[in-house]
Amino acid sequence: MRGGPGWRIDQLREEDLTAVMAIEADSFSTPWPRGAFLEELRSNVYARCLAAREPDAGMTAPVRAYICYWILGDELLIHNLAVDRTFRRLGLARTLMEHAF
């Protein structure tokens, strides 16, 4: 399956954080702590966090990739972007970037 229109892109939710934390730990030598994601999701008015999910997996589809970014005036600042190791090289990071822009 390729990234792009076939993937469902929606808001990252608190209930997604278990999957997100696993991707974080596998992707970065210094992963964000859970509290940083909670801050972005709950109270940072500048923050936007999106998730990529498989299209046919239903409403509880697990997160396969995510992006967290801020919109400040006419600037977009990417703070975090990662893809589950099994789903890399499918265009998911590009798809999330395109949605952010």
Side-chain angles (χ1 to χ4, degrees), residues 44 46-47 70-77 79:
N44 187 332
Y46 303 108
W70 290 7
I71 297 177
L72 299 170
D74 62 353
E75 294 184 24
L76 183 136
L77 304 170
H79 288 271

Side-chain angles (χ1 to χ4, degrees), residues 1-2 13 19-21 28 30-31 33 37 46 75 83 91 95:
M1 184 178 304
R2 299 292 306 163
R13 303 179 299 254
V20 166
M21 297 311 300
F28 302 109
T30 308
F37 284 99
Y46 303 108
E75 294 184 24
V83 178
T95 298

Side-chain angles (χ1 to χ4, degrees), residues 27-70:
S27 299
F28 302 109
S29 59
T30 308
W32 274 17
R34 185 179 189 89
F37 284 99
L38 288 172
E39 174 76 18
E40 298 292 280
L41 294 173
R42 290 179 178 171
S43 60
N44 187 332
V45 297
Y46 303 108
R48 308 288 186 276
C49 296
L50 300 175
R53 304 169 199 276
E54 294 175 73
D56 300 326
M59 293 305 294
T60 60
V63 173
R64 301 304 188 191
Y66 56 88
I67 186 171
C68 292
Y69 58 96
W70 290 7

Side-chain angles (χ1 to χ4, degrees), residues 7-10 12 20 23 50-54 62-67 81-84 87 91-93 96:
W7 288 84
R8 192 172 87 225
I9 307 299
D10 60 17
L12 191 67
V20 166
I23 297 169
L50 300 175
R53 304 169 199 276
E54 294 175 73
V63 173
R64 301 304 188 191
Y66 56 88
I67 186 171
L81 171 64
V83 178
D84 181 310
F87 294 88
L92 288 177
L96 287 168

